[in-house]
Amino acid sequence: MSESREWLVQWLRDAHAMEEQAETMLNGQLNRIENYPELSERIRQHIQETRQQAARLETCLDRIGQGSSTLKDAGGKLTAMAQSLSGVFAGDEVMKGSLASYTFEHMEIASYTILIAAAKSLGEAEVAQLCEENLHEEVAMADWLKSHIPATAEQFLARADSESDNAKR
């Protein structure tokens, strides 16, 4: 296998681990957001998208005769659990979660942009197409978060003055 193809495999494995991390992180957020139904519903939807994205990446790896990395996947999940637990102690957990999610979406966008360029360069049209599907979903989630963070902040601040314990959830 050429060195450039090995890099594509590594980046696909990294992306798969990233999606495993995202699913764990999103599930952690969802389990602790009670008073933000619109955000909760969009997170539920994105969890399903995230699972599909991981499956697409597995298809990509299978297509080029490789598999995902169990070690990278486990590392991603552990990192997400630690991030998720740290939010429990934040008085503004919903805002910290929104910030983390928006940032994570942009890391995913950059990752898929790299993967698409690499796949196209190596003549892997199917891999590029599957990564473009993932990219489209990540951009949509980032756009949704960007347009909804102001309302979430306003809701948080309104609740913080009257029901501080419930504001963060």
Side-chain angles (χ1 to χ4, degrees):
M1 181 182 308
S2 70
E3 187 170 342
S4 57
R5 189 163 292 284
E6 286 179 26
W7 281 117
L8 176 61
V9 170
Q10 287 297 88
W11 294 339
L12 286 166
R13 287 177 176 159
D14 290 345
H16 189 271
M18 174 182 69
E19 294 303 347
E20 294 288 323
Q21 180 179 355
E23 183 181 352
T24 301
M25 182 180 72
L26 290 167
N27 276 316
Q29 278 183 314
L30 184 61
N31 290 332
R32 290 187 315 278
I33 298 176
E34 301 160 0
N35 295 311
Y36 298 85
E38 191 174 8
L39 179 59
S40 294
E41 183 53 38
R42 186 60 179 100
I43 289 173
R44 267 189 208 84
Q45 178 186 342
H46 197 56
I47 288 169
Q48 294 305 313
E49 291 170 346
T50 299
R51 289 177 181 144
Q52 292 169 347
Q53 291 165 5
R56 285 186 201 115
L57 290 166
E58 289 171 13
T59 299
C60 291
L61 287 162
D62 290 345
R63 164 98 176 75
I64 56 179
Q66 301 294 318
S68 62
S69 169
T70 304
L71 185 60
K72 284 184 181 187
D73 288 351
K77 286 181 179 183
L78 285 173
T79 300
M81 284 193 299
Q83 289 169 331
S84 183
L85 288 174
S86 70
V88 170
F89 303 107
D92 60 346
E93 181 178 6
V94 70
M95 297 315 306
K96 294 280 193 295
S98 294
L99 176 65
S101 292
Y102 187 70
T103 302
F104 202 86
E105 292 305 322
H106 284 280
M107 182 182 71
E108 291 174 308
I109 289 166
S111 178
Y112 287 118
T113 302
I114 290 166
L115 282 168
I116 292 163
K120 286 180 178 178
S121 176
L122 294 169
E124 291 289 348
E126 182 182 352
V127 171
Q129 186 265 326
L130 290 170
C131 288
E132 284 172 357
E133 289 179 42
N134 287 5
L135 175 63
H136 175 75
E137 291 170 353
E138 300 300 1
V139 168
M141 183 62 179
D143 289 347
W144 189 93
L145 286 166
K146 182 179 181 182
S147 69
H148 286 79
I149 285 175
T152 302
E154 290 171 9
Q155 289 174 359
F156 174 84
L157 292 173
R159 287 187 179 125
D161 287 337
S162 62
E163 48 182 298
S164 61
D165 288 343
N166 290 328
K168 71 178 186 176
R169 295 175 182 243

